[in-house]
Amino acid sequence: MSQQDSGTEPVSIHHWYDPESRPLSITDGEDATVWDEDGNEYLDFCSQLYCTNLGHSNAAVIEAMEEQAGKIPYVSSAKRSPTRDRLAEKLARVTPESLSHTFFSVSGSEANEIAVQFAREYQDAPTVLTRWRSYHGGTYGAGALTGDPETRATIERHAATSGTAKFLPPIPKAFDTSDPQELAQRAGEHLEFVIRNEGPDSVAAILTEPIAGTSGAFTAPPGYFDHVRDLCDEYDILLIADEVITGFGRCGDWFGVQTEDIEPDMLTFAKGVTSAYAPLAGVSVTPEIASFVRTNGFDIGQTFGGHPMACAAGCAAIDEYADGIIDGVTDLEEGLASRIRQLESKHDVVRDVRGRGGLWAVEFADPETETSFHDPRVDDGQNPVSAVLHECRDRGILLGGGRPGFQIIISPPLIATKSEIDRAMDALDDSITAVFD
């Protein structure tokens, strides 16, 4: 009998805790499939937290961790580790050409905070600009950077950090146009307005997701990121790409920013670097920023930053990605996009579908009013989109809830097969019908 069935309250408190939720207790996994403690099988089309890019049973990653554990399981983050150095060298070969050195951390939240600290020190300026409808982490510093109000308001209920400002994301609703060229121009002009009104000399960096993550998988219109890069160059502002979700093949290339053909000054990563087999994150930086840190020092560290077993997992994961996984995302995208767009054509409650590579969103709205059935930012009561997620789970499919919660995020392991895509999308199709028809 499971702990939940027996009525015994678990002594561990899960993250994103909701007193009314009943989270699964997952015990086993293989490829794109997981099983709960009662033996129920699920296709994991959210990759847990958008991170198990290689699935749940990659032998090469597991063996690399076991081998490292047999040599030495832990080395201080203040000392050198050959495994850590090897991973940094591998990252230098796959990150954008502008980047050369990596500072390792533990989680994406911490990686973003370190990148911001580097930027403020390097630029001698306090402010970092981030987008509304963004997610950069759940710690105090990263929470302040986050544009999602559910996260930020929770963290800042009693205290807040300073040094951040927000700008609007390049989405049609924000600028009252669906024309891509006009949207790119308006969004770029808006960002320049924010920079000028903050005072360019006070702005250290712009931190942005190249493709939105849990905030809706929205891509920028063509030309937008060229404009952002030009603004950063004109006003001497660093551009930081948050690739915590979009990295390591998730959007069709090693990193999402490479699908935009833009060179950032820093890039943060986590999740997929080890396919989530071990906690690992980091910041890759330009030679100029690396030289600044080496010259001036950086008297901050984390006990488990660049843990050797995690770095061993990262080395093996990069080899696995290079061995056909990333090249295969094109086929994954074709299968996903085709089936998801069928949902938009079939169900009038599906207001929009969007994404890139293996990261997609399905947004719901009332077809008569074209407004969300339920917006958790301002509405109380039951959310029908949550009901769709529960219907999918009952059908053996795990999907992610977007932020805001009027959308669903679809983000399967990059090894998912066509038959698995069809099974998952059939279940989502049936679940939408069950809730809304």
Side-chain angles (χ1 to χ4, degrees):
M1 180 181 293
S2 72
Q3 200 169 30
Q4 287 180 344
D5 290 340
S6 68
T8 303
E9 183 177 331
V11 294
S12 66
I13 302 174
H14 59 267
H15 289 211
W16 290 281
Y17 187 83
D18 178 354
E20 297 182 1
S21 71
R22 291 180 60 82
L24 293 175
S25 179
I26 295 175
T27 59
D28 295 280
E30 183 176 356
D31 296 332
T33 302
V34 296
W35 287 263
D36 67 18
E37 62 185 358
D38 296 318
N40 298 309
E41 178 182 312
Y42 305 88
L43 266 180
D44 184 7
F45 263 50
C46 59
S47 299
Q48 292 304 289
L49 283 171
Y50 321 105
C51 51
T52 55
N53 294 6
L54 296 173
H56 296 280
S57 55
N58 187 280
V61 177
I62 295 169
E63 289 170 5
M65 295 177 69
E66 291 174 342
E67 181 180 348
Q68 180 64 44
K71 292 179 177 178
I72 181 168
Y74 175 73
V75 175
S76 164
S77 56
K79 295 179 172 58
R80 294 277 303 277
S81 161
T83 308
R84 195 179 294 143
D85 290 343
R86 187 165 67 252
L87 177 56
E89 291 168 0
K90 286 180 176 288
L91 286 166
R93 290 195 288 269
V94 300
T95 51
E97 292 183 5
S98 56
L99 308 178
S100 59
H101 293 66
T102 295
F103 182 98
F104 290 107
S105 63
V106 183
S107 73
S109 298
E110 294 155 319
N112 283 327
E113 290 198 21
I114 290 165
V116 165
Q117 183 71 16
F118 282 170
R120 287 169 173 157
E121 292 287 345
Y122 184 77
Q123 297 283 82
D124 191 25
T127 304
V128 175
L129 303 182
T130 58
R131 299 194 301 207
W132 294 111
R133 281 191 67 173
S134 63
Y135 183 85
H136 298 293
T139 55
Y140 262 105
L145 299 166
T146 293
D148 164 46
E150 293 178 87
T151 299
R152 195 180 62 260
T154 299
I155 290 173
E156 296 182 348
R157 190 169 294 144
H158 301 295
T161 61
S162 60
T164 64
K166 302 290 186 294
F167 61 99
L168 292 171
I171 58 177
K173 185 179 291 187
F175 294 98
D176 195 29
T177 180
S178 57
D179 177 78
Q181 184 175 357
E182 195 171 56
L183 177 58
Q185 181 178 344
R186 291 183 184 181
E189 290 173 350
H190 160 74
L191 175 58
E192 184 169 20
F193 177 88
V194 173
I195 291 170
R196 289 185 172 188
N197 281 275
E198 285 292 328
D201 291 344
S202 73
V203 180
I206 293 172
L207 170 65
T208 185
E209 302 158 297
I211 298 93
T214 55
S215 60
F218 53 84
T219 58
Y224 172 75
F225 273 109
D226 293 304
H227 197 166
V228 173
R229 179 69 266 183
D230 289 345
L231 288 173
C232 287
D233 293 340
E234 179 179 353
Y235 291 106
D236 189 25
I237 295 169
L238 298 179
L239 178 59
I240 307 172
D242 179 342
E243 299 269 7
V244 171
I245 286 179
T246 54
F248 301 98
R250 175 52 61 192
C251 293
D253 207 331
W254 281 100
F255 296 94
V257 75
Q258 290 164 323
T259 69
E260 296 287 349
D261 198 26
I262 296 297
E263 295 287 333
D265 300 295
M266 285 189 269
L267 179 153
T268 61
F269 62 86
K271 295 184 184 287
V273 63
T274 67
S275 188
Y277 284 40
L280 183 66
V283 185
S284 293
V285 303
T286 61
E288 293 79 12
I289 296 173
S291 177
F292 176 84
V293 174
R294 288 183 180 278
T295 300
N296 293 279
F298 188 69
D299 196 19
I300 296 175
Q302 301 164 315
T303 300
F304 295 113
H307 194 291
M309 289 178 63
C311 288
C315 289
I318 286 177
D319 291 343
E320 292 293 286
Y321 290 129
D323 191 22
I325 298 294
I326 290 180
D327 290 341
V329 177
T330 300
D331 293 334
L332 177 75
E333 179 177 22
E334 288 178 359
L336 270 178
S338 173
R339 290 303 310 271
I340 292 171
R341 289 184 176 125
Q342 288 175 24
L343 297 174
E344 185 178 25
S345 300
K346 180 177 179 180
H347 299 280
D348 60 4
V349 296
V350 175
R351 183 178 185 273
D352 189 28
V353 299
R354 54 189 176 263
R356 182 173 294 164
L359 178 64
W360 287 78
V362 177
E363 183 175 331
F364 296 84
D366 186 325
E368 295 184 0
T369 64
E370 296 187 350
T371 58
S372 304
F373 289 102
H374 180 92
D375 187 338
R377 295 172 296 186
V378 294
D379 297 330
D380 296 322
Q382 298 300 310
N383 184 357
V385 179
S386 297
V388 173
L389 290 172
H390 285 294
E391 287 283 343
C392 285
R393 185 171 118 172
D394 290 343
R395 289 170 168 80
I397 307 297
L398 303 181
L399 301 175
R403 288 176 173 265
F406 47 65
Q407 56 198 336
I408 284 172
I409 308 298
I410 302 167
S411 181
L414 304 183
I415 61 168
T417 65
K418 183 181 184 302
S419 63
E420 289 171 333
I421 291 172
D422 287 339
R423 178 183 154 199
M425 294 303 98
D426 286 345
L428 178 54
D429 187 354
D430 292 342
S431 297
I432 295 171
T433 298
V435 172
F436 289 102
D437 290 358

